[in-house]
Amino acid sequence: MARDVDDPNLASRSNVFSRACPRPDTPRRAPMADDDGADAERDDARSPARAFAHAVPARASTSACRDDNDGSLTWLSKSRHFIACTRAGKPTYARYGDAYKLSALCAALCALYDASRDHGDGKTKDAAMGDGLRAIVAPGRVVAFHATEYMLYVVTSSIKGESERTLHAQLAQFRRVMESLVTNAALEHALARNAKFDVGRALEAQAHADVALATAIRSMSWDTSYVFNTYRTFALAAPIRRSCMEAIRASMTFTSPFAGAVFSSDGRLGAYAKPRGNRPVTIAASDMIVLMNHVRVMREIVAESSTANEEEADDDDVD
């Protein structure tokens, strides 16, 4: 259910909307340099529409605005924001800035979503979404919502041509990556058992969680797998693929994994196998995308480590 920004029922519920709909005479800001390659595609015309640029930075972000809040011009200049919070409004992750400084914003987003459920048109049948707000379309910016029983995920984008459907698909994959990082993919279960469970702290305790989430978000700007719920592959000759599958199954005699897979260094799938008799014999594309993302994360970590070692060796040579 998409809501137009002129809906008086929603506008009266939260002053967040007052920031989402700038007046026509709002002076335009010159676009600022972005630290993300995907955001470089921004359309200059979207700058006046700060519309819900107030909706996302990044916990443990590696960006230059890691300590910023939603009032920072650097933070506001970003063209694509992702944010996650509990349904109680507690921040858990933000792509840019310090998520803990976005408590008021998260509370407003949750209030906005809950208020929209009171005015739902009854057409949304998704159990996770209920009758809640699915998207807000403002001049130069689209804001999409994805809710579960205990979490709310929000993305805002001012990149020209991005649709609600694309953003919803990206949010679904973003949610899966986050869930894979917390309490052995039992995020919802943890919140159900303990309402005070701190998802943000759990993410911080997970090694490279920030890199995994940032990698997934960056990949969404070019990899259609995240939109069409499929995965990328690389060609292997049939005999080689069979050999890979046999080797995977042989390794499962010593351990009991759910499945095994062979990936290229850039995260493309070559072959996978599950233990004989395990049903279904296939692996869900959404699960494969999460694995693909972790492969890319490992590649980034190895590359950073190699660069650090090279710089250290150069320093030793200078000494």
Side-chain angles (χ1 to χ4, degrees):
M1 176 178 63
R3 292 297 184 89
D4 189 84
V5 294
D6 293 328
D7 187 335
N9 292 323
L10 290 180
S12 63
R13 291 299 186 104
S14 172
N15 62 7
V16 178
F17 251 52
S18 65
R19 296 187 291 184
C21 309
R23 297 189 302 272
D25 59 348
T26 302
R28 297 181 58 175
R29 287 187 293 105
M32 301 178 67
D34 205 312
D35 60 340
D36 191 301
D39 289 348
E41 302 173 26
R42 71 160 50 83
D43 179 8
D44 290 347
R46 76 187 181 298
S47 296
R50 291 184 178 176
F52 282 84
H54 289 6
V56 203
R59 166 189 297 282
S61 170
T62 54
S63 70
C65 60
R66 71 176 63 188
D67 296 322
D68 290 350
N69 56 32
D70 58 341
S72 162
L73 290 179
T74 303
W75 188 82
L76 290 171
S77 71
K78 304 301 180 183
S79 63
R80 186 202 295 254
H81 287 282
F82 280 78
I83 193 167
C85 60
T86 67
R87 290 291 295 273
K90 185 174 183 178
T92 62
Y93 174 83
R95 185 186 185 189
Y96 296 115
D98 185 345
Y100 287 119
K101 295 181 180 179
L102 300 177
S103 298
L105 171 62
C106 290
L109 288 170
C110 288
L112 183 63
Y113 178 80
D114 290 338
S116 71
R117 300 186 67 186
D118 297 336
H119 299 278
D121 56 11
K123 296 179 181 179
T124 304
K125 302 301 181 183
D126 189 333
M129 293 296 296
D131 288 330
L133 188 64
R134 288 184 58 82
I136 298 172
V137 180
R141 184 167 292 275
V142 179
V143 187
F145 295 79
H146 178 84
T148 65
E149 187 174 357
Y150 297 100
M151 293 288 295
L152 179 65
Y153 303 87
V154 182
V155 59
T156 77
S157 176
S158 59
I159 296 176
K160 189 175 182 180
E162 281 204 312
S163 66
E164 295 174 36
R165 178 172 294 183
T166 296
L167 295 178
H168 284 139
Q170 292 176 353
L171 275 179
Q173 298 295 353
F174 172 67
R175 167 195 167 187
R176 292 186 185 106
V177 173
M178 178 175 285
E179 288 179 341
S180 73
L181 296 168
V182 180
T183 60
N184 195 25
L187 172 58
E188 294 287 316
H189 182 64
L191 286 169
R193 294 185 60 183
N194 180 9
K196 295 183 179 180
F197 177 71
D198 194 329
V199 181
R201 296 299 183 193
L203 281 174
E204 290 177 347
Q206 180 68 35
H208 310 301
D210 57 328
V211 180
L213 290 166
T215 299
I217 292 170
R218 285 198 303 272
S219 297
M220 290 174 190
S221 66
W222 61 270
D223 192 342
T224 56
S225 300
Y226 293 88
V227 176
F228 296 108
N229 198 32
T230 184
Y231 47 83
R232 300 165 66 85
T233 62
F234 68 95
L236 279 178
I240 298 176
R241 180 177 290 106
R242 282 195 296 270
S243 297
C244 290
M245 294 174 67
E246 290 170 3
I248 292 171
R249 289 197 178 100
S251 69
M252 294 180 187
T253 60
F254 303 101
T255 59
S256 301
F258 170 73
V262 175
F263 287 94
S264 64
S265 61
D266 61 351
R268 292 178 297 159
L269 179 68
Y272 73 87
K274 298 174 70 172
R276 286 185 173 85
N278 192 302
R279 296 290 184 270
V281 296
T282 58
I283 302 177
S286 57
D287 292 333
M288 199 65 76
I289 291 172
V290 173
L291 291 175
M292 174 183 72
N293 187 70
H294 285 296
V295 170
R296 290 173 177 168
V297 170
M298 288 188 288
R299 183 182 63 173
E300 285 195 20
I301 293 171
V302 169
E304 289 178 3
S305 178
S306 299
T307 301
N309 290 337
E310 290 174 3
E311 291 176 351
E312 197 173 299
D314 290 342
D315 291 339
D316 291 341
D317 291 339
V318 171
D319 294 340

